[in-house]
Amino acid sequence: MTGAVWLVGAGPGDPGLLTRRGADLLSRADAVVFDRLVSPEILELARPDAELIDVGKSSGSHPVPQEEINGILVRLAQEGKAVVRLKGGDPYLFGRGGEEFSHLTSCGVPVGVVPGITSAFGAAACGGIPVTHRDFASSVTVITCHAKRGSSWKPDWKALAAVGGTLVFLMGTSALEEIAEGLIGAGLDESTPAAVVERGGMKGERTVRGTLGSIAGLARSAGVASPALAVVGGVASLNLDFSDMLPLKDLTVVVTRGASDAPRFAGTLARWGARVLVRPSIDPRADFSSPALSDFRPGQHEWLVFTSAHGVEFFFQWLAQKGWDVRAFAGAKIAAVGPATARELEARGLIVDLVPDVFDSAHLAEALAARKTSSAAAFRAWEATDVLSREMARSGCRLDEYPLYRNEMDGGEVGSLSADWVTFASPSAVRGFVRRWKAPGARALCIGPTTAEEAQKLGFQTVTARQASFESMTAALLELARSEKATQKERAN
């Protein structure tokens, strides 16, 4: 059985700029063959069990020759695999996509193409430069600074100097002096605006602006490195900066929630510009072995108390196992620690009677005490802290705890992550993370003080959300990022 190959353009590097079709194919592929300019965040979208094959090429260095790449694609397809050939930018703009398509079809391999946002336009835009603008340019010419193997790079400088509009040179970091000399020698004024966009659409993006006569020296002084592109023409004088719209840009944030919980939080962070790595640090698993559950009888408690959305999920699993439904608890009132837990209960048809103003166990206990609660049943994790039971005891309320699930994740080989922030929604998430990962220098964004205390014990500098919710965690990170960027601007000035 023959598989198929899709040539997919990965865009400039930001996973948010990958097409929906490209992301869908990537999530389903058995094998992904990728180039150097594909960002790690985009590779995160691949299936966890997908075979990842790095055939990265850089200027002057081709670890895997094109002929061998062709062979890899054919072999994988002939093994019956769904293959994504992932290329930075667009596969048909200096991406050798046409060559690979022709070779695959000649070998009888089905092949499709998913266009991508070319870095010639996308990376320039991320760097604040529109390649066309009615006041400056009505045309754009894209030039590669690489020649076919065995050939030398010899652009027609006179034609390029005369064409007008915007000139975009891809992969031109090492050729800036040659570009300037060639264009000036062909008659273009050395005062023509020019800019270099480094890592456009990726973490560490920056733009260096100057003139055709100065840009090579400015880029060298700034330490500009590949990947970068050069823009020559009036539009290079523009700085259409939209970084205020993406205050989390250049921040890598680790989300430690599980696969079912992470997408919403991760998506919110990504919309504000963050590079998000999803690394579940807990794996909630049902465990109904507590003797307390065996002794439980409906009707014994005035309140049913839930301190997490997972607690709700496993409560209903336990009910099903017992052969009960919610009618067994008719007359009991329901308390939830916060809005996420309340939403989970309401999604299952239960109206929540109490959510504290501050979403943590201490304030939940205070709110229950204010209702003069005499007895309550709390459905929780085995690893839950004693804050709720301790505070309830102080108020004279009987609290019976019924553990339903365990949060700890099995240990394994310790990996390393390069990140600015790690987000934690529970103390067990902190413990699970440090068992699996190291993130040197990363700060911890915590959902509440108890979680922050655990993170501090394990060596993190912490920031705590004002409310125990993912919305409040996002707000805290946005506030801090904006403040730190403002401070950086002041120092720069």
Side-chain angles (χ1 to χ4, degrees):
M1 177 181 174
T2 301
V5 176
W6 282 90
L7 308 178
V8 176
D14 185 333
L17 299 178
L18 178 68
T19 65
R20 291 177 65 178
R21 179 176 291 180
D24 179 64
L25 289 168
L26 185 56
S27 70
R28 299 170 184 271
D30 300 310
V32 180
V33 181
F34 63 96
D35 283 341
R36 181 181 66 97
L37 295 181
V38 175
S39 68
E41 292 84 6
I42 287 179
L43 292 175
E44 288 275 325
L45 302 176
R47 255 177 33 204
D49 61 340
E51 182 180 2
L52 302 181
I53 302 173
D54 183 357
V55 294
K57 302 184 290 290
S58 59
S59 179
S61 175
H62 291 229
V64 183
Q66 185 62 50
E67 295 76 12
E68 188 173 337
I69 294 172
N70 293 344
I72 291 170
L73 296 173
V74 171
R75 173 181 60 79
L76 291 170
Q78 290 178 342
E79 290 173 356
K81 294 179 178 178
V83 183
V84 163
R85 172 69 171 109
L86 197 56
K87 296 169 171 287
D90 181 90
Y92 277 2
L93 188 69
F94 304 124
R96 302 190 183 185
E99 299 168 40
E100 292 178 1
F101 189 105
S102 297
H103 181 80
L104 289 163
T105 54
S106 71
C107 295
V109 174
V111 56
V113 180
V114 179
I117 298 175
T118 173
S119 58
F121 304 156
C126 290
I129 301 173
V131 294
T132 64
H133 188 295
R134 287 195 299 175
D135 293 336
F136 297 98
S138 58
S139 65
V140 57
T141 304
V142 182
I143 308 102
T144 178
C145 293
H146 290 177
K148 190 174 181 179
R149 189 182 298 179
S151 304
S152 58
W153 186 60
K154 293 181 179 179
D156 186 339
W157 295 115
K158 288 186 177 180
L160 291 174
V163 74
T166 303
L167 303 177
V168 180
F169 293 87
L170 297 182
M171 301 167 282
T173 312
S174 60
L176 288 174
E177 290 186 1
E178 188 175 352
I179 291 168
E181 291 173 3
L183 291 173
I184 293 170
L188 207 57
D189 195 304
E190 66 177 16
S191 65
T192 302
V196 176
V197 180
E198 178 186 18
R199 297 185 63 80
M202 292 185 267
K203 186 174 182 178
E205 169 193 298
R206 60 175 174 163
T207 303
V208 176
R209 290 176 171 79
T211 65
L212 191 54
S214 66
I215 193 62
L218 291 171
R220 185 169 54 251
S221 298
V224 171
S226 180
L229 57 82
V231 182
V232 178
V235 295
S237 66
L238 298 174
N239 182 12
L240 308 186
D241 180 21
F242 57 94
S243 59
D244 287 347
M245 299 290 289
L246 300 170
L248 302 186
K249 187 177 181 180
D250 278 349
L251 292 181
T252 298
V253 182
V254 179
V255 172
T256 59
R257 302 296 289 173
S260 61
D261 306 295
R264 183 181 174 194
F265 186 34
T268 299
L269 295 173
R271 282 192 292 276
W272 288 109
R275 310 286 171 160
V276 181
L277 302 177
V278 177
R279 293 291 185 275
S281 63
I282 57 173
D283 183 16
R285 303 171 188 174
D287 183 347
F288 304 147
S289 63
S290 169
L293 287 173
S294 301
D295 296 337
F296 180 85
R297 296 292 180 273
Q300 293 179 332
H301 302 90
E302 181 185 0
W303 285 85
L304 305 181
V305 179
F306 297 89
T307 57
S308 72
H310 287 307
V312 178
E313 175 189 351
F314 290 111
F315 173 75
F316 277 88
Q317 288 186 23
W318 173 66
L319 285 189
Q321 186 183 92
K322 297 287 287 186
W324 297 341
D325 62 24
V326 293
R327 290 174 298 179
F329 301 93
K333 297 184 180 68
I334 298 175
V337 73
T341 305
R343 282 194 297 268
E344 188 69 23
L345 286 159
E346 289 163 359
R348 296 170 182 270
L350 296 181
I351 296 174
V352 176
D353 300 287
L354 173 64
V355 177
D357 293 332
V358 179
F359 312 140
D360 61 30
S361 293
H363 287 85
L364 177 58
E366 183 180 315
L368 286 166
R371 298 287 187 98
K372 302 189 183 304
T373 301
S374 60
S375 63
F379 298 94
R380 317 184 66 191
W382 282 78
E383 303 85 9
T385 66
D386 66 350
V387 174
L388 182 65
S389 58
R390 188 174 67 242
E391 295 300 320
M392 293 290 283
R394 286 179 182 174
S395 69
C397 170
R398 185 183 103 240
L399 178 74
D400 296 324
E401 296 187 89
Y402 299 95
L404 296 171
Y405 65 102
R406 295 188 182 274
N407 263 327
E408 303 289 2
M409 178 174 273
D410 294 338
E413 185 177 346
V414 176
S416 182
L417 294 174
S418 176
D420 301 290
W421 290 92
V422 184
T423 63
F424 296 117
S426 67
S428 56
V430 182
R431 293 191 295 270
F433 182 83
V434 298
R435 290 177 64 189
R436 294 290 301 273
W437 305 101
K438 292 181 179 178
R443 289 178 282 180
L445 175 61
C446 300
I447 200 166
T450 305
T451 301
E453 182 180 348
E454 188 71 18
Q456 290 162 8
K457 286 179 185 176
L458 294 170
F460 285 97
Q461 292 185 8
T462 63
V463 170
T464 305
R466 290 190 176 94
Q467 287 272 28
S469 69
F470 292 121
E471 292 81 3
S472 186
M473 291 175 74
T474 302
L477 188 56
L478 287 170
E479 181 181 349
L480 188 62
R482 286 174 173 138
S483 174
E484 290 181 348
K485 283 190 176 182
T487 301
Q488 290 171 2
K489 284 184 179 179
E490 288 177 9
R491 290 174 179 170
N493 295 331

